[in-house]
């Protein structure tokens, strides 16, 4: 591990985790085995990063958020407080996940996509680039959204 990052108190960080420079890790954070955290990442208090997860540079994982095992998070992505990202999820660059969002397993989220607060994404979903999913939206399992969609609840 690099000595050029800031770590809060009462954390459990695996000795096999690789943490980049200028990373800020809050209090009571759990970081699993073989995790890679890129330069300039911010991880909030009580967050959990599961085994084998990858958090790319300049991303944010909010307080109480969970990024489970074998998940990839692209550059400049924001995972807000209390969001849950299940295992085997691929999140591209410049994505925003709002508060209390749930992204289920085997899902792809394209770049510059915004999934707003309280939304749930079913498992095995493909969401293309430049999509906007409004608050409190449920996306069914096995759904496909290509590029430039706006998904709204009525």
């Amino acid at each position: 591990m690099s000595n050029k990052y800031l770590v809060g108190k009462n954390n459990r960080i695996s000795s096999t985790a690789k943490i980049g420079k200028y990373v800020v890790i809050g209090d009571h954070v759990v970081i699993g085995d073989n995790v890679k955290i890129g330069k300039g990442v911010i991880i909030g208090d009580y967050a959990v990063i599961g085994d084998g997860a990858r958090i790319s540079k300049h991303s944010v994982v909010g307080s109480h958020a969970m990024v489970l095992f074998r998940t990839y998070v692209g550059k400049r992505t924001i995972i807000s407080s209390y969001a849950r990202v299940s295992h085997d999820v691929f999140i591209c660059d410049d994505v925003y996940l709002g508060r209390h969002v749930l992204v289920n397993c085997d899902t792809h989220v394209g770049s510059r996509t915004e999934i707003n607060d309280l939304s749930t994404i079913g498992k095995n979903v493909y969401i293309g680039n430049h999509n906007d999913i409004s608050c409190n939206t449920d996306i069914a399992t096995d759904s496909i959204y290509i590029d430039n969609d706006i998904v709204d609840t009525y």
Side-chain angles (χ1 to χ4, degrees), residues 7-19:
V7 178
K9 59 185 178 189
N10 299 319
N11 293 309
R12 291 188 313 185
I13 301 173
S14 170
S15 61
T16 61
K18 294 183 179 162
I19 300 174

Side-chain angles (χ1 to χ4, degrees), residues 109-138:
V109 179
S111 66
R112 299 182 191 273
T113 289
E114 186 172 317
I115 302 173
N116 288 289
D117 298 352
L118 301 168
S119 293
T120 300
I121 309 302
K123 66 183 203 174
N124 196 34
V125 170
Y126 179 89
I127 299 172
N129 300 321
H130 304 281
N131 286 290
D132 186 2
I133 299 170
S134 65
C135 293
N136 205 25
T137 299
D138 293 330

